[in-house]
Structure formats: structure tokens, C-alpha cells
């Protein structure tokens, strides 16, 4: 096994899957774009029902204010985590670096075995897999998720976990789960309150409209909660075992040195601090060398 420097072969201008002058990672997949927009619309629907049907008309100011703060904070973090997951390079290997000239520059020994991806003409590091949607090899690729229109890999797994947990699952998952469970609690509580008051002064909408809005919110919240909790569980298990979803599915024999469970968690979230729960902070744990990412 020989390590080589990442910077030695990174192309100076690789704009594949990038937008805004190369600043943002962006996958131009119509299915993924539709799923991402649908995700935003569902969050906005929950925002509308929770605020206009449940909290703002509530006769209990303290109850309303506390729950508005909790819900808005989780919604903001969920959307931020989703955008970070969507527009962050998941760990794409530079395209077309498997040339004789580049291989010489990387310092490989004569006769040394290296793995080349025939689809994107890249030298594949350990644990990298080719994504047919992104059309790139992705380091530590877990899976391609249409709901975030991106692969979940080495660089954005933290944000994905946070997103799902906010509506119900991974940072994106973490906050999605939280929103889902919170919405479910608020909807059930609103139903019970309306029934106790015989639908008088419990909402600004008519009883039939209120029932439809609350039922759809409960269905959405329950569906998202179950989905994201399951996803969160698989992500946590994968991180805990230092094994990606693809590696588990293919039952690949580990050719890499597995980290301890705590080190594996730190590799995704960084050293333990409140920044673990922030979609604005990148993991602070650093490798001894960036070339560790490209061990072959």
C-alpha cells in the first residue's frame, strides 16, 4: 500500500457537477431535483399548518411561544442541513487522473497494483465507489439519495445525518425526525383540544378544513418520522461499524484498517462538542495527511 498526495493530481479546473463558477457541487438530475423540491414543499406545508392552524390561534401564549421557537429552530436547521448535504462535494475523486503521466507523478512503484475506474478513468482509492448518477467515483460512498439530489459520502455524511434527524433522521435526518415528531405531537394535541371545545375558537379555519389539514400533517409527520428514524439507525450503525451502506450490501471484505467506534464517529462529526449538531461546522478531526484519503 502506498500513499500519495491528493494535491499532486487534483485538476486545477474541474467543473464537472459544479455550478456558480465552480463554488457549489450540483447534480443535474431531474429526478433528484424534483425530490429535493418536494422535500422543501412538505417542510413548508408543515410550517403552514403548525403556525396558522395550531400555534398562532392558540389561546395559551406561553405554549405557543415555546413551541414556535422550538419548531422554527428545528425547521431552519433541517433546511440548512438539507442544502449543505445537497451542495457539498461528497468526496468526488478527480476525473481522468489514471494516465501514465499522472501515475508517474504520484510516485507509484513499478509493478504496484492500483485500481482504475473504467467509467470515469480515475484511480480509485480504498472504499471509493462509482455513482452512475453523479458520474464520479465517491470516497466512502454510502448511497445516492434522491431526496437530497446527491451522494452521501465522506464529506457530507454529517449534514445528511443532521437533516434526517430534524424531520426525524441523519444532521439533516436528525432535524427532520425532530420536526416530524414535534409536528405529530402538536397535531394530536390540537385535535384533542378542538374536540374538548367542540370546535369553537380552536382554529381560524372551518372544522372540516381543520380536520383535513391536521390529518395530512399527521400522515406526513408519521411517514417522515418512520422513514427518517430507520435511515438514522442505518447511518449510525454504518458509522459505528466503520462500514458504508454499499460495503454492507456487497459484504465486502475490509481491505482497510478499521477505526475504533469512537474514532469512526469522530471521522464524521469531528471532536466532541456542540458543533456536532451544527450544519455550519465541518468536522474538526484531521488526518495525519490528506494522502490518507488516497491510500491504495
Amino acid at each position: 500500500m502506498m500513499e500519495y498526495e491528493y494535491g499532486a493530481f487534483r485538476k486545477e479546473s474541474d467543473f464537472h457537477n459544479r455550478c456558480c463558477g465552480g463554488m457549489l457541487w450540483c447534480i443535474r438530475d431531474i429526478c433528484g431535483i424534483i425530490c429535493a423540491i418536494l422535500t422543501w414543499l412538505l417542510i413548508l406545508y408543515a410550517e403552514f399548518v403548525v403556525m396558522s392552524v395550531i400555534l398562532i390561534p392558540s389561546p395559551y401564549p406561553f405554549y405557543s411561544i415555546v413551541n414556535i421557537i422550538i419548531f422554527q429552530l428545528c425547521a431552519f436547521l433541517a433546511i440548512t442541513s438539507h442544502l449543505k448535504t445537497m451542495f457539498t462535494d461528497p468526496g468526488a475523486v478527480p476525473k481522468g487522473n489514471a494516465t501514465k503521466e499522472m501515475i508517474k507523478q504520484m510516485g507509484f512503484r513499478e509493478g504496484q497494483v492500483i485500481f482504475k475506474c473504467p467509467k470515469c478513468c480515475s484511480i480509485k482509492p480504498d472504499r471509493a465507489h462509482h455513482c452512475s448518477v453523479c458520474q464520479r467515483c465517491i470516497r466512502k460512498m454510502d448511497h445516492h439519495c434522491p431526496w437530497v439530489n446527491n451522494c452521501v459520502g465522506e464529506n457530507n455524511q454529517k449534514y445528511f445525518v443532521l437533516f434526517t434527524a430534524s424531520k426525524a433522521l441523519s444532521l439533516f435526518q436528525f432535524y427532520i425526525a425532530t420536526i416530524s415528531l414535534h409536528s405529530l405531537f402538536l397535531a394530536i394535541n390540537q385535535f384533542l383540544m378542538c374536540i374538548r371545545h367542540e370546535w369553537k375558537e380552536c382554529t381560524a379555519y372551518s372544522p372540516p378544513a381543520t380536520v383535513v389539514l391536521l390529518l395530512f400533517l399527521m400522515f406526513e409527520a408519521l411517514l417522515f418520522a418512520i422513514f427518517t428514524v430507520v435511515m438514522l439507525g442505518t447511518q449510525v450503525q454504518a458509522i459505528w461499524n466503520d462500514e458504508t451502506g454499499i460495503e454492507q450490501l456487497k459484504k465486502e471484505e475490509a481491505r482497510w484498517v478499521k477505526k475504533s467506534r469512537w474514532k469512526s464517529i469522530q471521522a464524521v462529526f469531528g471532536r466532541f462538542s456542540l458543533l456536532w449538531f451544527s450544519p455550519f461546522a465541518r468536522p474538526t478531526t484531521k488526518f495525519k495527511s490528506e494522502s490518507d484519503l488516497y491510500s491504495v
Side-chain angles (χ1 to χ4, degrees), residues 236-255:
V236 170
Q237 182 188 32
I239 295 170
W240 188 256
N241 295 327
D242 191 18
E243 193 174 39
T244 67
I246 289 181
E247 290 161 355
Q248 290 178 345
L249 187 65
K250 291 184 174 181
K251 297 181 179 179
E252 294 182 358
E253 183 179 350
R255 298 192 303 270

Side-chain angles (χ1 to χ4, degrees), residues 126-150:
D126 278 346
R127 312 187 70 180
H129 292 85
H130 186 85
C131 173
S132 58
V133 179
C134 297
Q135 298 179 357
R136 298 289 287 271
C137 284
I138 307 296
R139 300 193 304 273
K140 287 186 69 176
M141 176 180 168
D142 188 85
H143 67 288
H144 185 94
C145 179
W147 297 104
V148 297
N149 191 33
N150 200 1

Side-chain angles (χ1 to χ4, degrees), residues 68 108 142 202 222 243 285 290:
I68 285 174
F108 286 107
D142 188 85
C202 74
L222 188 61
E243 193 174 39
T285 296
E290 282 187 287

Side-chain angles (χ1 to χ4, degrees), residues 163-211:
F163 171 74
T164 33
S166 63
K167 244 203 166 209
L169 169 80
S170 83
L171 216 6
F172 167 74
Q173 290 173 317
F174 174 78
Y175 291 122
I176 288 296
T178 305
I179 288 178
S180 296
L181 297 174
H182 191 213
S183 299
L184 192 60
F185 163 77
L186 291 173
I188 293 173
N189 189 60
Q190 185 72 10
F191 251 127
L192 296 176
M193 188 180 75
C194 288
I195 291 172
R196 284 198 305 269
H197 292 83
E198 298 180 350
W199 298 92
K200 295 176 181 178
E201 300 180 357
C202 74
T203 177
Y205 297 88
S206 65
T210 301
V211 169

Side-chain angles (χ1 to χ4, degrees), residues 167-168 176-177 180-181 184 220-230:
K167 244 203 166 209
I176 288 296
S180 296
L181 297 174
L184 192 60
E220 176 195 349
L222 188 61
L223 190 65
F224 264 97
I226 293 173
F227 171 73
T228 50
V229 165
V230 171

